[in-house]
Amino acid sequence: MPERHWRTPLDAEKAVRPKAEIHIIKDQCKGCGFCIQYCPKKVLEESDEINARGVHPPRVVDEKECIICSFCTAVCPDFAIFVKEKQCKDGC
Amino acid sequence: MEMAKQEIRIGVYVCHCGLNIAGSVDCEEVAKFAASLPNVVLAKDYRYTCSDQGQELIKKDIRENRLNRVVVASCTPRLHEPTFRKVCEEAGLNKYLFEMANIREQCSWVHLHDREAATEKAKDLVKMAVAKAALLAPAEEIEVPIIRKALVIGGGVAGIQVALDLADTGYKVYLVEKQPSIGGMMARIDKTFPTMDCSICILAPKMSDVGHHPNIELLANSEVIDVKGYIGNFHVKVLKKPRYVKEDCTACGDCSKVCPITAPNEFDAGLALRHAIYTPFAQAVPSTYIIDMNLCLNKDEIMVCDKCIKACERQAIDFTMKPETVELEVGTIIVATGTDVFDPSTLPNYGYGKYLNVITSLEFERLINAGGPSGGRLIRPSDMKIPKRVAFIQCVGSRSNKSGRTYCSNVCCMNTIKDSLLIKEHWPETEIYVFYVDIRAYGKGFEDLYKRAKNERAIFIRGLPAEIIEDPKTRNLWLIGENTLLKEPYKLNFDLVILSVGLEPRKDSEIIQRLLTLSRTQDGFFMEAHPKLRPVDAATGGIFFAGCAEAPKDIKDSVTQASAAAARAGILMAKGKVTVEAITPVLDVEKCKACGLCTKVCPYNAITLNKELKRVEIVEAACGGCGTCAAECPSDALTQSHFTDEQIMAQIDAVTEHDAEKKIVAFCCNWCAYAGADFAGVSRMQYPPNVRIIRTMCSGRVAPKFVERAFARGAAAVLVAGCHPGDCHYINANYQTQKRVERLWRKMEQNGLDKERLQLLWVTAAEGERFASKIREMQKLIEKVTMEEIELAKRVFAKAGGA
Amino acid sequence: MNTVKAITYKEALAECVDAEKLKFCFECGICTASCPMAELLEREYNPRNLLEKLFIDTERALTSDELWLCAWCYRCYRRCPQALKLPEIFLHARRFAVKHGYTQPFKNAVKKFVKASPLPLVAILTCFHPERAGLDLNTVLNETEQLRMEFLSEKKEKMEFIKGKVAVIGSGPAGLTVAHELALKGCEVTVFEALPEPGGMLRKCLPSYRLPREFLDKDIKALETLGVKIKTGIAVGRDFDFNSLWDEGYKAIFIGVGAHKGRELKIQGTKLDGVFHALDFLRMVNSGEKPNVEGKKVVVIGGGNVAVDSARIALRLGANEVSILYRRSIDEMPANPWEVKEAEDEGVKVEFLVSPKRISGKDGKVAAVEFVRIQLGEFDATGRRKPIPIEGSEFVKEADMVIFAIGEAPDLQFLPKEIELTEDGTIWVNPLTMETTLKGVFAGGDAVTGPATIIEAIRAGKIAAASIEYYLRLLG
Ligand SMILES: Cc1cc2nc3c(=O)[nH]c(=O)nc-3n(C[C@H](O)[C@H](O)[C@H](O)COP(=O)(O)OP(=O)(O)OC[C@H]3O[C@@H](n4cnc5c(N)ncnc54)[C@H](O)[C@@H]3O)c2cc1C
Ligand SMILES: Cc1cc2nc3c(=O)[nH]c(=O)nc-3n(C[C@H](O)[C@H](O)[C@H](O)COP(=O)(O)OP(=O)(O)OC[C@H]3O[C@@H](n4cnc5c(N)ncnc54)[C@H](O)[C@@H]3O)c2cc1C
Ligand code: SF4
Ligand code: SF4
Ligand code: SF4
Ligand code: SF4
Ligand code: SF4
Ligand code: SF4
């Protein structure tokens, strides 16, 4: 439909987005960059740090964007990344 | 050829058409003149030739005076040729022995104020018709069977109605809808004027009927990508895009709940969210969910996300689905593609797209709808509060030269009246102002509704706001304008402003237009074959219109038109066969040198080269009848029946017999240029009387030798006119026209002739003014052409033209 | 008055409105609601109604004072849904009226204007253009001066005295109008002007062939006789703080600072020698430091009146070749169409649908400008079609001088933040009162509308003055 949709939908705030908790086990990362490459929401990027294996592990750009598809976990050959849904304590 | 030996006896009838013709043409004199022409045995003028008495007169004359050709000088052949052909047949004369001279649309109506010149022109037109008539030959039409299946394009209320009517009659119907669900605009609006029924409540049952009808095959999320063939025998290709959800889907919605991706829902005008896997609205048909692959995380066959797959208990989700091309064979096609709404962000002074509380009438429909994003509470987007002062602005994007939409959109006045009553119903305290120019409450029950709105104290102010200014603190809106009845300025403050946006042609109408070789009016809506007598037929046989695709209209009119279109299509299919005009080419086997040039220009591939027999073969059923092959053949081996070289040459000779140096010989294609010239007449656009139009089916029929002949006989100028490139009724035959004219221009230049004397014009059936102004322009041109130039042209073309 | 033979409807129409411009008016009233003159002279002028009268009662329209009240701002045309060029239709009618000897109505119109507005000489020269209709400009100006004197002496005799000091920031037409109107009511008005001389854009940038400065001086002197104090060389914000005006006892403030900040294009080479901002260029010309243009090739980039004026000035200063290059089409051009036509007649070349890509130089000086051709896309939020560059259509144009006239914006950094601005960076005012979001502070003119016209600034000043008066009365 050619109408222009420029407004923020009225129910945008009500939309429940999963809240992710991304865990990166830095020293286990071998720097292949698969997680960065395949994350559909571009949540990860290469960090400047150097880990125990002498490579740059990934770092989280914006955790809010993560939709917990866990694809990073699936593609990581060395099990260096996993994602959990945040358990809301204080009504987050 | 037997006929030729027989004595030729032509009867000529000059019609007065009341005063329509007789008002500016001396019909008696024209008839007298006609009587003096060769082969004419009788000539009469008559008040209404098309009346029963007129028809009887012709029949009587045919019998009593042994007429074997009939010429009627009256209106356009596009109107009454079938009538008079029938008269001839009834009197035992082959209908191809009839010819018409168009002295109304192309003479009396366009030269209202010059009786003398109009009469002279009418005489010429009759002379041309008589000259052609003498060379006419009888012909038998071939019959083609009609496939008893129909294709309906567009599943709005109009498309739904056509589909149901035809299916109930017993025909198989394919309904192609571009969106995931049928329903169209009507599914999105809340209540409907003038009766205030709930829109979806009355539409949903029809939608589900479509879903279940044994005779209807619904192809949603699909588009027509190719159409070949002709009336009764269309071959259609439909691209069926994958939904990625199988029909096992129970529409439980479990998948949607888990999908992490959201986007504005188009159905709700972007006011609510949907997920990547979704259904546009609860009553959607088909109800099967769909995945929007532009949004889904799984792209390029990499499966990143499987949330919906896991959530679906029925295991209905299938990412392996592929687009499919479905091939259909149908006899009739109904176009019901509806309209778009105007995007008001192009009017900066109204601030739409910038001011949150300026909304369109379509957004309003979603807001007031109980199933909509706000649950039926009319709220203003900036603070979700219920507005106390509401303004409607009418004619936004309609009736405006500037926006290019000069027509009235027909529904917005009544829609506003309906909307104001809806507001009053829920929140009676609301103050409502309607800023309008004219209130168009023309239909049954409309005026009552208007009165009700006034009684409910909706205030109508004549005069549109010039500007809307938003208060940055309150987000309220100032409307500044003039009350044109009181001649007083107003500056009023509102909580919410609703722009009554107009309806406009679909952005992609061009695609359908091209696929089906349709015409569109200047407004951009599809053009009907005749505005009064064939309002749902397209000019192309076997194609019909329903709903807003043809012009903006309300639901009732859309449904009425839909049933009419179903009846028209049904008539064709009930007959089961149709005759095709006998205007296909005939091959003279002796002359054919097997050069194959004709096979290259035929748009329908109806001619093939048979190398063994060293000649070409014609497949008559496939031939569209454009005649471009006959124009191309260098050996004169091809003759288009009813538009033969001899006949056209005779017409040219008749025009140029005297005063050629003052005349323009025009060749006009039947569908666009000739129709455009007719349109100029219907609109009474006046232009100089020196032009003589020769009708061919397609501009591609105009062989260079016709143009050369006209110049060789001293014509001042020649016009070749056809449909715009891309709009050609015969797919692309007019590209040949272009090439041939360009070749002629080169030849003229090489010989020191002013190439301006040969003009090429692309004109649609709706562009009467374009045609008229071309003639005005050419009139100026021919006034400058000198006798020397005429003589030079005569010499240059003497040989080729064979004058 | 000389007697004139009755004018036939057909004859008049044929002269007044050429068919090209005569589209269909459906009487929406947008023109009147947009028209500054209709607001200045509410009961006297209504363009929509005038147009209708031209058809229904041609004779009456041609002999009416109303015919002469259009001030050529083209605001109506920009908004008219039918794109009717009212000012041009009226010009044809005026010419016709003059030809038939109907000149008295013009004098009446001037009288009405003098009563309603200050700066009548400026307005006649820059807005009403009686010479275009065939009247003698000098006679008109002399008569106007006379009328003004009569009016002012009449007024001075029965002046009211409203309490309250008012500060006006900016001495453009908007500010001067406020000062004039309030002075007539006996207010104590002080105008602060950053430049050494008063007049705003009129002095700084308007070409002197269009507005000879002696007439501006006369108009300003007339104001001063009413007791308006004009303090030049004082910029609010630079020389003192905006809020200190309250401390000095001013009860109300009017902001009429215009739009003087030239927009910049972010392309290569704008720092080269020979690249100017139009406003700087015009200021230099008007202040006597004549930039050397003789024999040069001048390229003006932009499509507004400022671009057109710069081009015409450059031509007058002896430039060899002057071209205006604009990125949209003629229909979208914000410049007054009449002005563009005059410029073209003088020899300025105008090229449409081109956009500059970079300026190249030689030895630090401008040598050429590279342009790319443009295609118009969909309509954007300004109601105009979006320009899209056509790849591979680049071409180079030699130039010794490049003048940028791609729009101006107001410089409002000195304002306290309680005064809210719009998205376009102009001051937001209540359209009824011209009051800003800060109590007691009013604004008008280009600072509110963005670059516009003199008559619109005068109209804004007039409304603001009425509101200030009301405000002061409430204060007591
Ligand atoms: C805001 C608003 C309020 C209205 N209120 C009322 C009212 O109260 N009462 C009333 O009587 N009328 C009302 N109308 C008018 C009413 O909506 C129309 O008359 C009606 O919907 C027209 O139906 P249609 O089938 O012709 O077109 P549509 O409803 O527009 O349907 C056309 C369908 O064709 C499909 N389509 C388009 N192009 C293609 C293609 N190329 N291939 C396949 N499918 C395609 C579309 O997706 C759509 O589903 C209103 C209109 C608007 C805009
Ligand atoms: C080249 C050119 C040609 C034009 N030609 C025409 C024309 O022919 N007809 C027409 O109708 N319009 C024309 N205009 C437009 C017209 O000049 C303006 O619309 C009008 O002058 C705006 O008036 P204003 O009072 O809002 O502001 P301005 O006239 O811009 O006056 C604002 C004044 O405020 C002063 N100022 C700014 N900041 C401060 C501060 N902080 N403290 C003190 N003072 C300050 C400025 O120095 C300036 O003098 C033209 C404009 C230009 C640039
Ligand atoms: S879970 Fe998905 S979205 Fe989140 S970081 Fe991993 S790949 Fe990206
Ligand atoms: S796809 Fe499955 S989960 Fe989704 S609505 Fe259909 S049945 Fe339910
Ligand atoms: S696979 Fe696609 S549609 Fe399904 S849940 Fe994930 S993002 Fe949504
Ligand atoms: S229906 Fe009414 S609002 Fe709509 S275009 Fe026509 S007059 Fe305007
Ligand atoms: S804005 Fe245009 S259409 Fe509207 S009243 Fe004025 S001239 Fe007529
Ligand atoms: S040009 Fe300006 S002054 Fe003249 S009628 Fe239009 S808006 Fe009014």
Side-chain angles (χ1 to χ4, degrees), chain B residues 245-246 248-256 277 288-289 308 311-317:
Chain B
V245 180
K246 290 182 286 193
D248 302 337
C249 167
T250 58
C252 65
D254 290 346
C255 51
S256 247
I277 183 163
T288 312
Y289 271 51
C308 54
C312 179
E313 279 174 18
R314 301 271 309 199
Q315 303 197 321
I317 294 162

Side-chain angles (χ1 to χ4, degrees), chain B residues 521-762:
Chain B
T521 60
Q522 233 148 2
D523 297 337
F525 292 98
F526 290 116
M527 187 149 130
E528 63 279 38
H530 190 281
K532 290 165 198 83
L533 302 177
R534 294 173 66 200
V536 302
D537 299 23
T540 315
I543 300 179
F544 306 91
F545 300 121
C548 291
E550 177 260 340
K553 52 175 71 71
D554 65 3
I555 294 166
K556 181 180 173 178
D557 286 356
S558 298
V559 171
T560 311
Q561 203 182 21
S563 290
R568 298 286 297 162
I571 291 169
L572 268 183
M573 292 191 287
K575 265 201 228 154
K577 57 190 178 215
V578 66
T579 49
V580 181
E581 260 202 287
I583 51 174
T584 47
V586 181
L587 182 73
D588 184 339
V589 187
E590 304 287 298
K591 286 187 183 163
C592 177
K593 300 215 172 67
C595 65
L597 285 175
C598 51
T599 62
K600 295 198 184 97
V601 299
C602 176
Y604 300 91
N605 300 325
I607 310 185
T608 46
L609 185 63
N610 187 329
K611 282 194 182 134
E612 275 161 36
L613 291 178
K614 290 226 172 58
R615 65 175 179 92
V616 293
E617 281 165 355
I618 301 166
V619 187
E620 276 189 29
C623 165
C626 61
T628 191
C629 52
E632 191 73 9
C633 178
S635 325
D636 288 341
L638 286 165
T639 302
Q640 186 186 13
S641 307
H642 210 60
F643 290 92
T644 67
D645 285 1
E646 292 76 32
Q647 291 164 2
I648 294 173
M649 288 293 196
Q651 286 175 291
I652 299 170
D653 290 353
V655 178
T656 49
E657 197 168 83
H658 64 86
D659 293 337
E661 70 287 353
K662 292 188 195 128
K663 287 180 194 164
I664 303 165
V665 180
F667 298 95
C668 289
C669 82
N670 181 60
W671 303 101
C672 297
Y674 196 88
D678 278 353
F679 188 68
V682 173
S683 319
R684 311 293 197 275
M685 292 162 183
Q686 303 295 299
Y687 57 81
N690 293 4
V691 59
R692 305 287 180 266
I693 297 176
I694 294 172
R695 181 171 73 120
T696 57
M697 291 314 284
C698 174
S699 62
R701 171 68 187 100
V702 182
K705 65 181 169 203
F706 299 160
V707 175
E708 296 180 344
R709 173 76 145 230
F711 281 128
R713 304 237 333 153
V718 175
L719 172 68
V720 179
C723 311
H724 287 267
D727 286 2
C728 179
H729 211 79
Y730 301 98
I731 305 176
N732 55 14
N734 62 355
Y735 287 109
Q736 309 307 330
T737 316
Q738 170 126 24
K739 276 195 216 150
R740 291 178 191 134
V741 168
E742 277 166 5
R743 238 181 287 142
L744 282 163
W745 277 333
R746 251 173 280 135
K747 184 164 179 184
M748 290 174 78
E749 273 178 329
Q750 281 160 7
N751 287 292
L753 288 169
D754 180 7
K755 72 175 218 218
E756 294 289 306
R757 285 173 64 195
L758 170 59
Q759 294 271 331
L760 179 62
L761 177 72
W762 303 132

Side-chain angles (χ1 to χ4, degrees), chain B residues 153-159 176-179 181-186 189 191-194 222-224 336-339 341 361-362 365 411 415 418 501 503 506 508 512 546-549 553-556 558:
Chain B
I153 309 176
V157 63
V176 174
E177 167 60 56
K178 200 155 78 174
Q179 299 294 331
S181 168
I182 56 170
M185 193 64 80
M186 187 173 167
I189 60 187
K191 300 283 185 310
T192 58
F193 66 76
S222 303
E223 272 173 71
V224 174
T337 49
T339 54
V341 293
S361 43
L362 189 55
E365 292 295 334
V411 297
N415 188 50
K418 166 192 85 181
V501 287
L503 303 178
R506 291 260 180 224
D508 58 0
I512 296 289
C548 291
K553 52 175 71 71
D554 65 3
I555 294 166
K556 181 180 173 178
S558 298

Side-chain angles (χ1 to χ4, degrees), chain B residues 345-346 348 354 399-402 437 462-464 466-467 469-473 478 480-482 484 487 489 491, chain C residues 23 26-29 32-34 39 42 46 48-49 77-79 81-82 379 381-383 423 428 431-432:
Chain B
S345 49
T346 57
K354 199 163 69 177
R399 305 176 68 197
S400 157
N401 251 306
K402 199 180 211 160
V437 186
R462 191 177 187 284
L464 300 181
E467 186 177 17
I469 295 174
E470 184 190 55
D471 185 320
K473 280 197 182 134
W478 287 98
I480 298 170
E482 188 206 4
T484 57
K487 279 207 254 165
K491 291 185 184 175
Chain C
K23 291 170 191 148
F26 67 167
E27 291 168 48
C28 62
T32 303
S34 306
E39 203 160 0
E42 196 191 309
N46 181 323
R48 171 189 58 78
N49 205 230
Y77 161 64
R78 291 214 172 90
R79 291 195 180 150
Q82 316 303 0
F379 285 93
T382 68
E423 277 180 15
W428 189 85
L432 278 185

Side-chain angles (χ1 to χ4, degrees), chain C residues 185-461:
Chain C
K185 304 280 175 189
C187 278
E188 211 182 302
V189 189
T190 313
V191 180
F192 298 95
E193 170 56 59
L195 294 172
E197 280 181 287
M201 232 20 137
L202 308 183
R203 180 155 333 257
K204 181 176 148 188
C205 293
L206 241 75
S208 57
Y209 64 85
R210 202 117 60 73
L211 176 62
R213 296 298 186 260
E214 48 181 301
F215 295 104
L216 176 58
D217 292 339
K218 274 191 199 167
D219 271 351
I220 293 179
K221 196 150 298 145
L223 265 166
E224 284 173 325
T225 63
L226 292 174
V228 174
K229 273 183 251 134
I230 304 181
K231 295 194 177 167
T232 55
I234 297 180
V236 180
R238 182 189 68 195
D239 297 320
F240 57 80
D241 192 56
F242 181 88
N243 281 323
S244 66
L245 286 168
W246 304 120
D247 308 335
E248 303 215 357
Y250 290 105
K251 295 283 180 257
I253 302 173
F254 176 80
I255 310 168
V257 293
H260 291 242
K261 209 167 53 177
R263 282 221 180 93
E264 304 223 356
L265 253 194
K266 283 184 193 66
I267 58 170
Q268 206 181 315
T270 48
K271 296 280 175 298
L272 287 166
D273 204 12
V275 179
F276 289 87
H277 273 296
L279 292 190
D280 292 333
F281 172 75
L282 291 167
R283 181 186 45 76
M284 281 161 75
V285 175
N286 286 325
S287 62
E289 21 167 336
K290 299 249 172 318
N292 182 12
V293 184
E294 248 181 81
K296 288 190 175 171
K297 290 197 185 90
V298 181
V299 166
V300 182
I301 296 169
N305 279 326
V306 178
V308 178
D309 276 342
S310 309
R312 292 175 77 180
I313 292 254
L315 205 64
R316 269 156 224 255
L317 291 178
N320 184 21
E321 190 192 308
V322 182
S323 0
I324 298 177
L325 290 102
Y326 178 53
R327 63 192 180 125
R328 306 191 203 234
S329 76
I330 187 156
D331 292 330
E332 276 99 359
M333 206 167 178
N336 184 321
W338 182 271
E339 256 32 277
V340 182
K341 205 176 108 213
E342 284 186 348
E344 281 186 302
D345 289 346
E346 284 174 18
V348 174
K349 288 201 196 87
V350 192
E351 205 168 321
F352 297 100
L353 296 170
V354 287
S355 167
K357 270 191 98 174
R358 72 175 66 84
I359 305 175
S360 51
K362 217 173 129 191
D363 311 327
K365 277 192 177 153
V366 173
V369 191
E370 187 182 327
F371 287 93
V372 61
R373 296 209 186 271
I374 295 289
Q375 205 174 1
L376 289 181
E378 286 285 295
F379 285 93
D380 67 8
T382 68
R384 297 181 296 182
R385 304 210 295 154
K386 204 180 278 157
I388 307 162
I390 306 173
E391 241 173 89
S393 68
E394 287 81 358
F395 65 100
V396 174
K397 200 169 167 70
E398 275 179 45
D400 311 306
M401 186 169 185
V402 178
I403 300 176
F404 277 105
I406 51 167
E408 298 81 35
D411 188 352
L412 301 170
Q413 268 168 335
F414 70 97
L415 292 183
K417 62 176 183 321
E418 292 91 334
I419 299 181
E420 288 207 38
L421 306 185
T422 67
E423 277 180 15
D424 311 328
T426 56
I427 305 174
W428 189 85
V429 293
N430 177 322
L432 278 185
T433 60
M434 308 301 281
E435 192 173 10
T436 66
T437 45
L438 182 59
K439 212 167 142 63
V441 180
F442 300 77
D446 285 4
V448 169
T449 54
T453 58
I454 297 167
I455 200 70
E456 288 166 86
I458 291 177
R459 168 219 154 244

Side-chain angles (χ1 to χ4, degrees), chain A residues 22 35 38-41 43-44 65-72 83:
Chain A
I22 305 174
C35 55
Y38 286 108
C39 170
K41 302 298 280 180
V43 172
L44 306 167
E65 282 294 304
C66 170
I67 42 107
I68 326 190
C69 65
S70 293
F71 200 58
C72 46
V83 187

Side-chain angles (χ1 to χ4, degrees), chain C residues 24-32 48 51 76 79-84 86:
Chain C
F24 150 85
C25 162
F26 67 167
E27 291 168 48
C28 62
I30 287 181
C31 48
T32 303
R48 171 189 58 78
L51 180 73
C76 50
R79 291 195 180 150
C80 171
Q82 316 303 0
L84 276 161
L86 292 186

Side-chain angles (χ1 to χ4, degrees), chain A residues 45-51 55-59:
Chain A
E45 66 177 9
E46 198 180 272
S47 68
D48 303 329
E49 265 175 76
I50 296 181
N51 71 359
V55 299
H56 300 293
R59 118 178 122 203

